[in-house]
Amino acid sequence: MLHSLHDALYQFLDFDLPMSRANADRIFLELLTRDGFGPKWVYYAAVRIFGGGFRFFTRWKRSYVGKRVPL
C-alpha cells in the first residue's frame, strides 16, 4: 500500500501537484518509519537514486499518447 501512495504522488507531480519529488520521497520514508519497516533506508535510497529515471521514462512514454508515430 505504501508504494501505491508513493506511485500516485509521482504520477500527480506532472499535473501541478504542489510538491517536489524529494517531498514525495520523504513522505514515503515517513510512512516506512511509521510502519516499522526494517530495510527502510534501502528502499528510500533506491527511490531517490532511480525515481528520477522512472519519471523521465514515464514522461517520455506519455508524450506519444495520441500521436501518430512512423514505424
Side-chain angles (χ1 to χ4, degrees):
M1 181 83 166
L2 296 176
H3 70 283
S4 298
L5 173 62
H6 185 254
D7 291 350
L9 290 174
Y10 263 42
Q11 287 178 347
F12 286 107
L13 287 175
D14 291 334
F15 296 102
D16 299 326
L17 185 67
M19 73 169 39
S20 66
R21 184 173 76 87
N23 293 122
D25 294 346
R26 271 188 239 113
I27 290 170
F28 182 62
L29 178 61
E30 288 176 19
L31 291 171
L32 292 173
T33 302
R34 181 199 69 186
D35 292 347
F37 190 73
K40 66 183 175 186
W41 292 108
V42 174
Y43 278 64
Y44 177 72
V47 162
R48 289 302 301 152
I49 292 167
F50 300 112
F54 281 105
R55 282 199 67 222
F56 175 79
F57 176 75
T58 301
R59 277 183 271 155
W60 172 78
K61 188 172 69 172
R62 286 182 182 160
S63 70
Y64 287 99
V65 173
K67 293 183 180 177
R68 185 182 224 182
V69 179
L71 297 177

